[in-house]
Amino acid sequence: LEHGGQPIAIPLRKALALFIYLAVTRQPHSRDALATLFWPERNQQGARTNLRRTLYDLGQLLGAPLGDQLLQIEPETVSLHPEAALWVDIAVFEQGLAQHLSVPPAAQVLPHDERLELTSLADLYTDDFLAGFSLPDCPAFAEWQFFQREALRNAYARLLQQLVFVYAAEEKWDEALRYARRWLLI
């Protein structure tokens, strides 16, 4: 997480997970649903208290006015502000795939700018979704994280397959081999 080129540290794991969840889903969530997602072992009142504290801590960690620009906290719902200027790599990756990836991948010669777009999307994928991050006491969050990771990994595999086909169709064997190797590592 960065703002103005400067990293923003969020040392509280659940606060970070909450922010990630809001950023990736980009929709309002009820406080009850978030409380249950992140504090399943607590009763609803205790879980909502923890959520309220975590939202406060998250706002403090983001700092003013950034916290107010990013978070939309309502009495019964929490979301990212709809007009928040937030660049999320997953959103860029998914939008780029929707625009440029043929279904199913096929051998074809692509215009230079479209090929560059596909290669930049492949370069955007640097590791699995939230690799090395977990919340052991939040099984529903772990399940959501798992399905996000698998969906992104499958999309990445399709992208690499498309790049192999494109470079092979253009007889650019070094590039085709480079993406084939990455495809095999998935």
Side-chain angles (χ1 to χ4, degrees):
L1 183 60
E2 293 180 355
H3 179 14
Q6 298 299 314
I8 297 174
I10 301 180
L12 306 171
R13 293 182 69 74
K14 285 198 180 174
L16 179 58
L18 174 61
F19 186 79
I20 291 167
Y21 187 75
L22 295 173
V24 171
T25 61
R26 292 296 264 210
Q27 65 184 25
H29 297 278
S30 75
R31 285 177 178 257
D32 287 339
L34 292 173
T36 301
L37 180 66
F38 289 104
W39 294 276
E41 76 288 353
R42 303 289 307 255
N43 64 33
Q44 197 62 27
Q45 181 180 358
R48 280 185 68 124
T49 298
N50 285 353
L51 175 62
R52 188 171 43 257
R53 277 192 218 124
T54 301
L55 287 168
Y56 174 80
D57 292 342
L58 185 55
Q60 295 297 313
L61 290 165
L62 292 172
L66 183 61
D68 293 333
Q69 292 170 356
L70 292 178
L71 299 174
Q72 185 168 350
I73 301 171
E74 303 293 336
E76 291 301 318
T77 62
V78 178
S79 64
L80 283 184
H81 199 283
E83 285 116 36
L86 185 65
W87 185 89
V88 179
D89 57 356
I90 293 170
V92 172
F93 183 76
E94 291 175 334
Q95 289 168 358
L97 291 180
Q99 279 183 300
H100 299 286
L101 190 59
S102 61
V103 178
Q108 59 183 322
V109 176
L110 293 179
H112 179 71
D113 58 333
E114 194 167 337
R115 187 171 8 96
L116 284 178
E117 180 67 25
L118 289 177
T119 58
S120 70
L121 290 173
D123 292 341
L124 191 57
Y125 193 104
T126 58
D127 206 343
D128 285 336
F129 179 69
L130 296 179
F133 183 88
S134 67
L135 292 177
D137 61 340
C138 300
F141 181 83
E143 182 178 346
W144 172 80
Q145 182 180 351
F146 170 81
F147 284 110
Q148 287 292 315
R149 179 179 53 244
E150 290 305 305
L152 289 166
R153 187 184 289 158
N154 289 335
Y156 180 56
R158 284 185 37 242
L159 171 61
L160 294 175
Q161 182 183 22
Q162 180 67 54
L163 285 168
V164 169
F165 288 170
V166 165
Y167 283 115
E170 296 174 4
E171 297 184 359
K172 295 183 177 178
W173 306 116
D174 288 341
E175 290 299 313
L177 187 58
R178 182 173 135 217
Y179 289 106
R181 285 185 178 130
R182 286 171 67 178
W183 185 16
L184 289 171
L185 291 175
I186 295 176

